[in-house]
Amino acid sequence: MAVTIPENYVSGGFAMEFEVPWMTPGAVHKLDELVRSDDRVIEVGTGGSTLFFSRRCRAVLGIEPSIEWADTVVTEARTRALGNVDIIAEPDPQALIKLAGRLGACSVLSVDPDDGYDRDELQDILAARAGDELQVVAMDNYGARDLFTRSWDWDNDKVIASLPGRGWRGESFNDPKWRGQGTRIFWRAR
């Protein structure tokens, strides 16, 4: 499936229209290379990424802090006849953390909610729930201290050491226009 990312990618305005995650272009292309039709995705933060994963994977469970945005994404998925998307809207950061602890496993995990959420805590909980089933992890805006409160300055090896199981590889897709440093993608041999 072809991935189209316009030159004004930093604006994010294209993400839903073109069904792509609002991440650095290199990271989007890497995800396109890595995800598979039998993957089950959990993503915290929804939008173009929801549509992207839905076209490529078996099931997508989105967790969205904005109730209004969740409604928009659900409507867009229905309009595009994407029936493998479920979205849970939860605006309270503490309730979202509790919710994450009750979810099942996934093979792809993408963590990128709005401000006010500790992305490291969400990623740790969801990765632990997935265990050895986890194959791909996306961390957007990874170098922003206010978003990834613990790992914002970690190198890829330290992030890999925090992921469940063995055989992880990782790549940083940095962009000076991005909040933090860019997007990181981690994966195991598939």
Side-chain angles (χ1 to χ4, degrees):
M1 194 169 301
V3 175
T4 302
I5 303 172
E7 288 185 37
N8 69 339
Y9 64 90
V10 175
S11 74
F14 66 92
M16 292 279 273
E17 178 184 350
F18 291 103
E19 297 185 358
V20 295
W22 186 18
M23 298 178 182
T24 57
V28 173
H29 288 290
K30 187 66 176 181
L31 283 172
D32 190 46
E33 171 190 320
L34 292 171
V35 298
R36 295 183 172 177
S37 61
D38 62 339
D39 279 327
R40 287 175 297 127
V41 179
I42 293 179
E43 61 168 348
V44 185
T46 62
S49 56
T50 308
L51 307 176
F52 171 89
F53 288 128
S54 179
R55 288 268 183 226
R56 291 161 175 78
C57 301
R58 179 173 51 163
V60 179
L61 175 59
I63 304 170
E64 176 55 50
S66 167
I67 293 169
E68 295 79 18
W69 184 246
D71 289 343
T72 298
V73 176
V74 166
T75 299
E76 194 64 34
R78 285 184 184 146
T79 299
R80 295 169 188 248
L82 300 172
N84 60 345
V85 173
D86 290 300
I87 297 180
I88 301 168
E90 181 50 67
D92 177 14
Q94 292 310 310
L96 183 65
I97 295 296
K98 288 179 185 175
L99 172 70
R102 293 191 300 267
L103 296 177
C106 62
S107 52
V108 177
L109 174 59
S110 177
V111 179
D112 185 25
D114 293 337
D115 293 338
Y117 293 83
D118 184 336
R119 295 176 187 202
D120 278 321
E121 186 174 13
L122 285 167
Q123 182 169 299
D124 288 349
I125 291 167
L126 293 167
R129 297 285 297 172
D132 284 338
E133 289 183 46
L134 189 60
Q135 300 295 312
V136 177
V137 174
M139 298 170 68
D140 196 29
N141 300 299
Y142 75 88
R145 184 180 211 160
D146 58 326
L147 301 176
F148 286 96
T149 60
R150 189 181 72 253
S151 69
W152 68 275
D153 64 346
W154 288 5
D155 64 20
N156 286 352
D157 289 337
K158 192 163 181 178
V159 174
I160 286 169
S162 76
L163 296 173
R166 298 172 188 245
W168 288 96
R169 297 171 46 194
E171 189 170 348
S172 298
F173 298 91
N174 296 330
D175 190 316
K177 299 174 188 171
W178 224 249
R179 184 169 179 189
Q181 293 179 335
T183 309
R184 282 182 171 163
I185 305 295
F186 297 92
W187 68 93
R188 294 201 244 197
R190 304 191 88 195

mmCIF file of all heavy atoms in Angstrom, residues 3 7 9-11 20 24 45-46 54 63 66 80 92 123 132 157 160 165 169:
data_model
loop_
_atom_site.group_PDB
_atom_site.id
_atom_site.type_symbol
_atom_site.label_atom_id
_atom_site.label_comp_id
_atom_site.label_asym_id
_atom_site.label_seq_id
_atom_site.Cartn_x
_atom_site.Cartn_y
_atom_site.Cartn_z
ATOM 1 N N VAL A 3 2.318 4.914 0.612
ATOM 2 C CA VAL A 3 2.238 5.918 1.673
ATOM 3 C C VAL A 3 2.533 7.276 1.046
ATOM 4 O O VAL A 3 3.562 7.456 0.397
ATOM 5 C CB VAL A 3 3.253 5.639 2.799
ATOM 6 C CG1 VAL A 3 3.239 6.750 3.817
ATOM 7 C CG2 VAL A 3 2.971 4.305 3.452
ATOM 8 N N GLU A 7 4.646 17.609 1.633
ATOM 9 C CA GLU A 7 5.779 18.396 2.098
ATOM 10 C C GLU A 7 5.497 19.131 3.399
ATOM 11 O O GLU A 7 6.409 19.368 4.180
ATOM 12 C CB GLU A 7 6.214 19.396 1.017
ATOM 13 C CG GLU A 7 6.899 18.720 -0.152
ATOM 14 C CD GLU A 7 7.438 19.718 -1.149
ATOM 15 O OE1 GLU A 7 7.915 20.783 -0.725
ATOM 16 O OE2 GLU A 7 7.387 19.418 -2.342
ATOM 17 N N TYR A 9 4.250 18.119 6.102
ATOM 18 C CA TYR A 9 3.924 17.070 7.058
ATOM 19 C C TYR A 9 3.920 17.532 8.506
ATOM 20 O O TYR A 9 3.235 16.956 9.341
ATOM 21 C CB TYR A 9 4.874 15.881 6.904
ATOM 22 C CG TYR A 9 6.310 16.203 7.218
ATOM 23 C CD1 TYR A 9 6.805 16.054 8.498
ATOM 24 C CD2 TYR A 9 7.160 16.666 6.227
ATOM 25 C CE1 TYR A 9 8.124 16.360 8.786
ATOM 26 C CE2 TYR A 9 8.470 16.970 6.502
ATOM 27 C CZ TYR A 9 8.952 16.813 7.782
ATOM 28 O OH TYR A 9 10.249 17.126 8.074
ATOM 29 N N VAL A 10 4.640 18.576 8.851
ATOM 30 C CA VAL A 10 4.700 19.032 10.236
ATOM 31 C C VAL A 10 3.338 19.526 10.711
ATOM 32 O O VAL A 10 2.993 19.400 11.875
ATOM 33 C CB VAL A 10 5.783 20.119 10.415
ATOM 34 C CG1 VAL A 10 5.766 20.695 11.818
ATOM 35 C CG2 VAL A 10 7.152 19.533 10.124
ATOM 36 N N SER A 11 2.516 20.029 9.801
ATOM 37 C CA SER A 11 1.205 20.562 10.187
ATOM 38 C C SER A 11 0.263 19.476 10.686
ATOM 39 O O SER A 11 -0.613 19.744 11.490
ATOM 40 C CB SER A 11 0.556 21.277 9.005
ATOM 41 O OG SER A 11 0.084 20.330 8.063
ATOM 42 N N VAL A 20 -2.289 8.349 7.279
ATOM 43 C CA VAL A 20 -0.932 8.107 7.774
ATOM 44 C C VAL A 20 -0.774 8.666 9.187
ATOM 45 O O VAL A 20 -1.432 9.635 9.556
ATOM 46 C CB VAL A 20 0.160 8.715 6.853
ATOM 47 C CG1 VAL A 20 0.171 8.040 5.503
ATOM 48 C CG2 VAL A 20 -0.003 10.203 6.714
ATOM 49 N N THR A 24 7.233 11.482 12.071
ATOM 50 C CA THR A 24 8.237 11.856 11.089
ATOM 51 C C THR A 24 8.129 10.914 9.878
ATOM 52 O O THR A 24 7.795 9.733 10.030
ATOM 53 C CB THR A 24 9.658 11.802 11.686
ATOM 54 O OG1 THR A 24 9.899 10.490 12.201
ATOM 55 C CG2 THR A 24 9.823 12.823 12.803
ATOM 56 N N GLY A 45 -3.609 7.643 21.493
ATOM 57 C CA GLY A 45 -3.606 8.790 20.593
ATOM 58 C C GLY A 45 -4.033 8.280 19.226
ATOM 59 O O GLY A 45 -3.431 7.351 18.698
ATOM 60 N N THR A 46 -5.106 8.823 18.685
ATOM 61 C CA THR A 46 -5.690 8.289 17.452
ATOM 62 C C THR A 46 -5.720 9.350 16.356
ATOM 63 O O THR A 46 -5.444 10.510 16.592
ATOM 64 C CB THR A 46 -7.119 7.789 17.718
ATOM 65 O OG1 THR A 46 -7.923 8.891 18.143
ATOM 66 C CG2 THR A 46 -7.143 6.696 18.763
ATOM 67 N N SER A 54 -5.418 0.325 10.560
ATOM 68 C CA SER A 54 -6.616 -0.424 10.211
ATOM 69 C C SER A 54 -6.528 -1.015 8.801
ATOM 70 O O SER A 54 -6.969 -2.140 8.576
ATOM 71 C CB SER A 54 -7.842 0.482 10.318
ATOM 72 O OG SER A 54 -8.995 -0.225 9.971
ATOM 73 N N ILE A 63 -6.896 4.336 22.082
ATOM 74 C CA ILE A 63 -7.244 4.986 23.340
ATOM 75 C C ILE A 63 -7.022 6.466 23.102
ATOM 76 O O ILE A 63 -5.911 6.880 22.755
ATOM 77 C CB ILE A 63 -6.375 4.486 24.503
ATOM 78 C CG1 ILE A 63 -6.468 2.973 24.629
ATOM 79 C CG2 ILE A 63 -6.796 5.169 25.797
ATOM 80 C CD1 ILE A 63 -5.456 2.382 25.586
ATOM 81 N N SER A 66 -9.296 12.695 23.953
ATOM 82 C CA SER A 66 -10.330 13.661 23.578
ATOM 83 C C SER A 66 -11.579 12.936 23.077
ATOM 84 O O SER A 66 -11.547 12.259 22.043
ATOM 85 C CB SER A 66 -9.810 14.594 22.480
ATOM 86 O OG SER A 66 -10.876 15.317 21.910
ATOM 87 N N ARG A 80 -14.991 5.235 5.785
ATOM 88 C CA ARG A 80 -14.047 4.515 4.924
ATOM 89 C C ARG A 80 -14.236 2.998 4.991
ATOM 90 O O ARG A 80 -13.404 2.246 4.501
ATOM 91 C CB ARG A 80 -12.621 4.894 5.301
ATOM 92 C CG ARG A 80 -12.325 6.361 5.024
ATOM 93 C CD ARG A 80 -11.004 6.788 5.655
ATOM 94 N NE ARG A 80 -10.815 8.216 5.542
ATOM 95 C CZ ARG A 80 -9.885 8.794 4.787
ATOM 96 N NH1 ARG A 80 -9.053 8.057 4.074
ATOM 97 N NH2 ARG A 80 -9.782 10.101 4.750
ATOM 98 N N ASP A 92 -9.354 11.467 31.400
ATOM 99 C CA ASP A 92 -8.665 11.548 32.693
ATOM 100 C C ASP A 92 -7.367 10.733 32.659
ATOM 101 O O ASP A 92 -7.406 9.511 32.493
ATOM 102 C CB ASP A 92 -9.583 11.029 33.795
ATOM 103 C CG ASP A 92 -8.930 11.011 35.162
ATOM 104 O OD1 ASP A 92 -7.862 11.635 35.347
ATOM 105 O OD2 ASP A 92 -9.504 10.367 36.066
ATOM 106 N N GLN A 123 3.449 3.299 28.158
ATOM 107 C CA GLN A 123 4.191 2.329 27.366
ATOM 108 C C GLN A 123 4.630 1.152 28.217
ATOM 109 O O GLN A 123 4.523 -0.002 27.791
ATOM 110 C CB GLN A 123 5.403 2.997 26.719
ATOM 111 C CG GLN A 123 6.198 2.047 25.846
ATOM 112 C CD GLN A 123 7.212 2.784 25.027
ATOM 113 O OE1 GLN A 123 6.861 3.628 24.227
ATOM 114 N NE2 GLN A 123 8.473 2.480 25.244
ATOM 115 N N ASP A 132 5.768 -11.166 25.323
ATOM 116 C CA ASP A 132 6.476 -11.661 24.146
ATOM 117 C C ASP A 132 5.700 -11.504 22.842
ATOM 118 O O ASP A 132 6.270 -11.672 21.770
ATOM 119 C CB ASP A 132 6.851 -13.134 24.330
ATOM 120 C CG ASP A 132 8.042 -13.300 25.261
ATOM 121 O OD1 ASP A 132 8.820 -12.325 25.422
ATOM 122 O OD2 ASP A 132 8.192 -14.393 25.834
ATOM 123 N N ASP A 157 19.562 1.836 22.951
ATOM 124 C CA ASP A 157 19.900 0.622 23.698
ATOM 125 C C ASP A 157 19.216 0.576 25.055
ATOM 126 O O ASP A 157 18.766 -0.479 25.506
ATOM 127 C CB ASP A 157 21.415 0.499 23.882
ATOM 128 C CG ASP A 157 22.131 0.173 22.576
ATOM 129 O OD1 ASP A 157 21.480 -0.373 21.648
ATOM 130 O OD2 ASP A 157 23.335 0.471 22.474
ATOM 131 N N ILE A 160 15.586 -0.264 24.476
ATOM 132 C CA ILE A 160 15.493 -1.691 24.155
ATOM 133 C C ILE A 160 15.574 -2.537 25.418
ATOM 134 O O ILE A 160 14.819 -3.497 25.583
ATOM 135 C CB ILE A 160 16.578 -2.080 23.130
ATOM 136 C CG1 ILE A 160 16.188 -1.530 21.757
ATOM 137 C CG2 ILE A 160 16.799 -3.590 23.086
ATOM 138 C CD1 ILE A 160 17.274 -1.616 20.702
ATOM 139 N N GLY A 165 11.120 -9.152 26.492
ATOM 140 C CA GLY A 165 11.677 -10.121 25.565
ATOM 141 C C GLY A 165 13.022 -9.702 25.000
ATOM 142 O O GLY A 165 13.649 -8.754 25.464
ATOM 143 N N ARG A 169 15.503 -4.347 17.914
ATOM 144 C CA ARG A 169 16.342 -3.383 17.205
ATOM 145 C C ARG A 169 15.585 -2.061 17.218
ATOM 146 O O ARG A 169 14.367 -2.048 17.388
ATOM 147 C CB ARG A 169 16.576 -3.835 15.769
ATOM 148 C CG ARG A 169 17.335 -5.147 15.711
ATOM 149 C CD ARG A 169 17.408 -5.748 14.338
ATOM 150 N NE ARG A 169 17.766 -4.783 13.315
ATOM 151 C CZ ARG A 169 17.637 -4.996 12.017
ATOM 152 N NH1 ARG A 169 17.151 -6.123 11.592
ATOM 153 N NH2 ARG A 169 17.986 -4.087 11.148
#
